[in-house]
Amino acid sequence: MTPTDPVPRTDPATRPADVTTSAGRSRAGARPPAVLLLPAAVAAVFALLPLGYLAVRSLERGPAFAWDVVADERTAQLLGRSLALAAVVVLACLLLGVSLAWLTVRTDLPGARAWSVLVTLPLAVPSYVAAFAWLSAFPGLEGFAGAAVALTLVSFPYVYLPVTAALRGTDPAQEEVSRSLGHGPLTTFLRVTLPQLRPAAAGGAVLVALYVLSDFGAVSLMRYDTFTRGIYTSYRASFDRTPAAALSIVLVVMTIALVAAEARTRGRAGHARTGTGTARPAVPAALGPWRTPALAWCGAVTAISVLTPLATLGYWLAVGNSATWDPGSLLDTAGTTLAVAAAGAALTTLLALPVGVIAARHRGRTATLLEQSAYAGHALPGITVALSLVFFAVRYAEPIYQELPLLVCAYAVLFLPVAVASTRAAVLQSPPVLEDLARSLGRSPLRVLREVTVPLAAPGVAAGAALTFVVCMKELPATLLLRPTGMDTLATRLWTETGTGSFAAAAPYAAALILLAAIPSYLLGRHRT
């Protein structure tokens, strides 16, 4: 075909299976090349390792022993405590997230944009840092109340963000019709607006519940026993790992049941707008005499979730001196944290690259299986992933037991979904026709990947690596179990100092952790805007 020849039209019914569609994905039947398939398979096996460990370890002493652990009264207590904590935190987050979203999006609240930024800042604060700040300020807060407060104040943005997006994308016509029929703002909100927000709020609530069930740092510092703390205690108290594995199985079942229940609540009801185009902006509701209480509400939430922890850290930094904390030790620990997080982000990004490319460019059972396998570790708490890698290292790779490579592998298993999602989105945004052109010129799949796919997707892949770097820095339970002897990160040092009540000594590590995590988070925000 010469350059002047017309481009042949391809009917969807006769289009070959390996032709890429305009959405950037290959049609079903296109098999991924071996240069992608083999490393993606390695990444999938890597991610599935914790599930295999749980299946083998929990049944190692027979189903009867595993059942005795699961049916034990202590397990029932942990189940009740975990579910109670998750329920309270979810309800509190729904109240905070939905109310703040409505105020900042649908009302004439003064400074709405500034408030919308301030109420998302708690996402940058690890749960154990928030627990440390509140526990040091109010020592009597420990236990259920302390864990609920700390987890709520770092989790409510998970509800606020999707509800905000839903409010901005929802056409206000139904609300206007309700008001035209004589219904007041409150009735309209409860009968019209709130049902439209249910999917977004339910999705955010599930994220909050999963976060609470998998949290280890806050409940440990608050000395409140949940499944994650029970698993850690069982692991440390005995050489027999079977009870810890059995408890982990219960936690996994709870997670699956929670996600399934959320999907069931969605039902088949439609919540999307009909027609095309963007939603017409809603006319902001006038707060009138409620403006002052609304400002007070936003200010109170910001104060207790952001300003109070920062003020507490500032106080302990002012109280501390060379007798309570060593600047040299702080710098060494910060350097170690950066190095370990960088290694974890590098390995995670490397494993995620072939999976993300396959997920973006290919369809079929193989591509679906590889992508879903990569997300397996995301449903498990860090302590369970750590236990699985300890089991694997002791039996099959003893030289790396309690060595840095094992900790880096744990980061990769835990945070592989973060990098896969970013890589997939970046590859989807790059035009697949350039890859087709490179192949038509005789380039091998490896050269196409190296010279076309990766350079085009590089900004998105780098953003995923930066996000992975942040979450690796903040990870606590896996780091506690797998770190080499004598090695500390900012998270583990903070946990150790707080556990002994040395708040002045812990404050520099908490402040350094927030500062280091804020830098890549800020760069990510600039990149996305």
Side-chain angles (χ1 to χ4, degrees):
M1 181 184 296
T2 64
T4 57
D5 290 335
V7 178
R9 298 181 61 183
T10 305
D11 185 77
T14 59
R15 184 182 294 157
D18 60 347
V19 173
T20 307
T21 65
S22 60
R25 296 179 64 100
S26 298
R27 289 178 57 85
R31 184 176 181 179
V35 68
L36 290 174
L37 190 59
L38 293 180
V42 172
V45 171
F46 207 67
L48 290 172
L49 183 62
L51 295 179
Y53 157 77
L54 291 179
V56 172
R57 190 57 146 165
S58 60
L59 299 176
E60 191 172 38
R61 297 179 60 181
F65 182 83
W67 175 251
D68 289 340
V69 174
V70 172
D72 186 74
E73 182 180 354
R74 173 63 174 169
T75 304
Q77 291 177 351
L78 292 176
L79 177 63
R81 294 166 72 91
S82 298
L83 292 178
L85 180 63
V88 169
V89 173
V90 165
L91 290 176
C93 288
L94 285 172
L95 173 62
L96 293 174
V98 174
S99 63
L100 291 170
W102 185 75
L103 286 173
T104 55
V105 175
R106 286 296 178 89
T107 71
D108 59 350
L109 181 74
R113 288 189 177 183
W115 289 119
S116 64
V117 173
L118 290 173
V119 297
T120 60
L121 289 180
L123 284 177
V125 182
S127 64
Y128 50 87
V129 173
F132 153 72
W134 282 96
L135 188 61
S136 62
F138 306 98
L141 194 61
E142 65 179 18
F144 178 85
V149 168
L151 289 170
T152 296
L153 295 179
V154 299
S155 301
F156 75 85
Y158 289 116
V159 175
Y160 171 81
L161 291 173
V163 172
T164 297
L167 282 172
R168 288 173 177 166
T170 301
D171 198 309
Q174 297 183 37
E175 301 171 22
E176 294 172 355
V177 170
S178 175
R179 287 194 293 269
S180 70
L181 295 175
H183 297 299
L186 180 60
T187 302
T188 299
F189 175 78
L190 294 177
R191 293 186 177 182
V192 180
T193 307
L194 198 58
Q196 296 183 76
L197 300 179
R198 190 183 69 178
V206 168
L207 290 178
V208 172
L210 294 177
Y211 185 84
V212 173
L213 291 177
S214 64
D215 179 77
F216 172 75
V219 295
S220 295
L221 292 179
M222 290 294 181
R223 294 174 176 83
Y224 181 73
D225 286 336
T226 60
F227 260 104
T228 50
R229 194 169 184 228
I231 293 170
Y232 181 80
T233 303
S234 176
Y235 170 80
R236 287 297 191 187
S238 172
F239 289 104
D240 185 3
R241 311 304 185 209
T242 304
L247 292 176
S248 298
I249 287 288
V250 177
L251 189 57
V252 172
V253 171
M254 289 171 58
T255 300
I256 296 174
L258 186 64
V259 175
E262 187 275 333
R264 189 177 181 85
T265 60
R266 292 197 300 261
R268 297 184 178 181
H271 299 274
R273 292 182 300 113
T274 57
T276 59
T278 58
R280 176 168 51 85
V283 178
L287 290 173
W290 291 97
R291 178 171 298 182
T292 298
L295 286 172
W297 174 246
C298 294
V301 174
T302 302
I304 63 175
S305 63
V306 179
L307 298 182
T308 299
L310 292 180
T312 303
L313 290 179
Y315 168 78
W316 287 111
L317 286 172
V319 170
N321 51 50
S322 59
T324 56
W325 60 278
D326 181 9
S329 176
L330 175 62
L331 291 176
D332 290 341
T333 306
T336 300
T337 302
L338 293 174
V340 175
L347 177 60
T348 306
T349 304
L350 185 64
L351 290 172
L353 183 61
V355 180
V357 174
I358 289 177
R361 291 291 190 250
H362 301 275
R363 296 177 61 184
R365 293 182 179 180
T366 300
T368 301
L369 178 62
L370 290 173
E371 184 179 10
Q372 291 180 348
S373 298
Y375 284 80
H378 193 59
L380 300 173
I383 191 169
T384 301
V385 173
L387 287 173
S388 68
L389 293 181
V390 168
F391 175 81
F392 173 79
V394 169
R395 295 205 171 190
Y396 307 109
E398 189 173 352
I400 66 171
Y401 176 64
Q402 284 196 323
E403 297 294 338
L404 185 60
L406 193 62
L407 177 58
V408 173
C409 289
Y411 290 159
V413 173
L414 284 168
F415 306 123
L416 186 61
V418 176
V420 168
S422 298
T423 301
R424 178 180 178 276
V427 174
L428 280 174
Q429 290 176 352
S430 61
V433 66
L434 298 179
E435 300 170 13
D436 296 337
L437 180 61
R439 283 191 290 268
S440 70
L441 295 175
R443 297 292 192 271
S444 66
L446 180 59
R447 291 192 63 183
V448 173
L449 178 67
R450 186 178 67 247
E451 298 176 0
V452 180
T453 307
V454 172
L456 288 174
V461 174
L467 184 57
T468 306
F469 175 78
V470 172
V471 293
C472 286
M473 279 199 302
K474 300 190 296 182
E475 207 289 324
L476 178 61
T479 309
L480 282 173
L481 293 181
L482 299 177
R483 56 179 170 159
T485 303
M487 190 198 85
D488 272 318
T489 65
L490 292 171
T492 60
R493 191 62 183 269
L494 168 64
W495 188 83
T496 302
E497 298 290 355
T498 307
T500 61
S502 304
F503 298 129
Y509 298 98
L513 183 60
I514 293 177
L515 176 62
L516 293 178
I519 295 173
S521 299
Y522 169 73
L523 295 177
L524 280 172
R526 287 192 61 184
H527 169 74
R528 292 178 180 179
T529 56

